Amino acid sequence: MTQKETKRAARGAGRWKVYATAGLLLVAVVVAAVAWSALRTSPQDEESGKPIILYVDQGNGVVNTTNFGTMADFAVAHGFNTIFFQVYREGVLLFDQQSLAAFVSDAHALNLSIFFSLYITNSSQEIPLTALGSGENGVSLDMSTLSLSSQESLLALLKSEYGGQTAVTTTDMTSPLTPNLLVLETYGTGLQSYVRHGVIGSVGVFTTSSLAQYQSEFDYALKNSDGVMVFDYAGLMKSGYY
């Protein structure tokens, strides 16, 4: 082999080593990316068929026609597929039917289910049946301060007069009510024993002190019940858990 051929062979061997090293690096990068992706796979991905509910409480932070889109975009971006949107508080309907229909349209455009939440604190407050039926997926009764008999009456009325799904959010861990969705307000780790299949568990931003605690309670409720509800949007925004 001539000196020129020897040099050419050496350069070829060098290039082969470079290519081989680059190939190994590429494989390592791909393996690392796959591993990182697996680590980032959240319970929301694994439990995507379950309701992942963001509650919007108008008493904690007003959401109306001017900022509903911002809230809905936030919900989608953070893995929620359902909104419990408070439209009625303590006997007062907060929006007209045109606005209610617009909220439904905006939510559905983002593939979000939307339940109109009715916050009822006194048995004299009536379900605003004439305001319902704007295409919403359902109606949720938030009425834990009422007696059980009053709650049963209101839910029976809603079922008889309303064609959509029904939901109840309650602090009564042994509630006998039977809506389509029974959401137990299991805020805090002390109530996790009530999280079970057949109900939907909850996490409260106001009962958690860190993102890690919030995520742990969220994951537990989602895995061990029929879904999860987060209370609430305003609290999430203030906490910075996103």
Side-chain angles (χ1 to χ4, degrees):
M1 182 181 291
T2 67
Q3 186 175 9
K4 183 181 293 185
E5 289 172 333
T6 301
K7 289 181 179 180
R8 184 181 299 131
R11 285 197 299 271
R15 282 196 297 270
W16 182 87
K17 290 179 181 179
V18 170
Y19 295 152
T21 301
L24 290 173
L25 286 173
L26 179 59
V27 170
V29 169
V30 170
V31 170
V34 170
W36 175 242
S37 176
L39 287 172
R40 286 174 57 85
T41 299
S42 66
Q44 292 97 314
D45 299 322
E46 298 171 1
E47 308 283 355
S48 59
K50 298 180 178 181
I52 303 174
I53 304 164
L54 178 61
Y55 192 111
V56 179
D57 187 305
Q58 301 287 359
N60 291 342
V62 173
V63 176
N64 52 32
T65 55
T66 62
N67 59 351
F68 183 90
T70 299
M71 179 278 298
D73 287 339
F74 174 92
V76 171
H78 293 86
F80 294 96
N81 56 32
T82 306
I83 301 169
F84 277 14
F85 184 61
Q86 202 173 84
V87 301
Y88 180 87
R89 282 184 64 86
E90 301 177 312
V92 178
L93 183 64
L94 304 178
F95 306 101
D96 60 28
Q97 287 183 299
Q98 182 178 357
S99 296
L100 294 175
F103 295 142
V104 170
S105 178
D106 290 348
H108 287 174
L110 295 173
N111 293 318
L112 286 168
S113 294
I114 180 169
F115 281 61
F116 289 161
S117 179
L118 312 180
Y119 178 50
I120 301 173
T121 57
N122 190 292
S123 58
S124 65
Q125 297 163 9
E126 299 180 352
I127 295 175
L129 290 170
T130 57
L132 307 179
S134 298
E136 70 277 3
N137 298 87
V139 170
S140 175
L141 297 174
D142 187 346
M143 53 182 180
S144 289
T145 59
L146 303 186
S147 67
L148 177 58
S149 61
S150 293
Q151 293 183 46
E152 289 174 331
S153 295
L154 285 171
L155 178 58
L157 174 63
L158 182 63
K159 284 182 173 182
S160 67
E161 299 291 337
Y162 179 68
Q165 288 193 307
T166 59
V168 169
T169 60
T170 181
T171 57
D172 180 359
M173 300 297 111
T174 59
S175 175
L177 300 179
T178 57
N180 296 113
L181 302 178
L182 180 62
V183 183
L184 302 184
E185 298 184 50
T186 52
Y187 309 134
T189 55
L191 294 174
Q192 285 193 336
S193 61
Y194 294 100
V195 174
R196 65 187 187 280
H197 293 291
V199 301
I200 293 175
S202 304
V203 55
V205 178
F206 62 97
T207 64
T208 59
S209 58
S210 67
L211 174 59
Q213 182 186 358
Y214 164 81
Q215 193 65 56
S216 175
E217 292 184 22
F218 181 102
D219 293 347
Y220 185 89
L222 185 59
K223 181 178 180 180
N224 293 285
S225 75
D226 292 351
V228 62
M229 182 186 79
V230 175
F231 189 93
D232 69 330
Y233 172 62
L236 273 177
M237 296 300 291
K238 293 174 183 176
S239 71
Y241 292 173
Y242 54 86

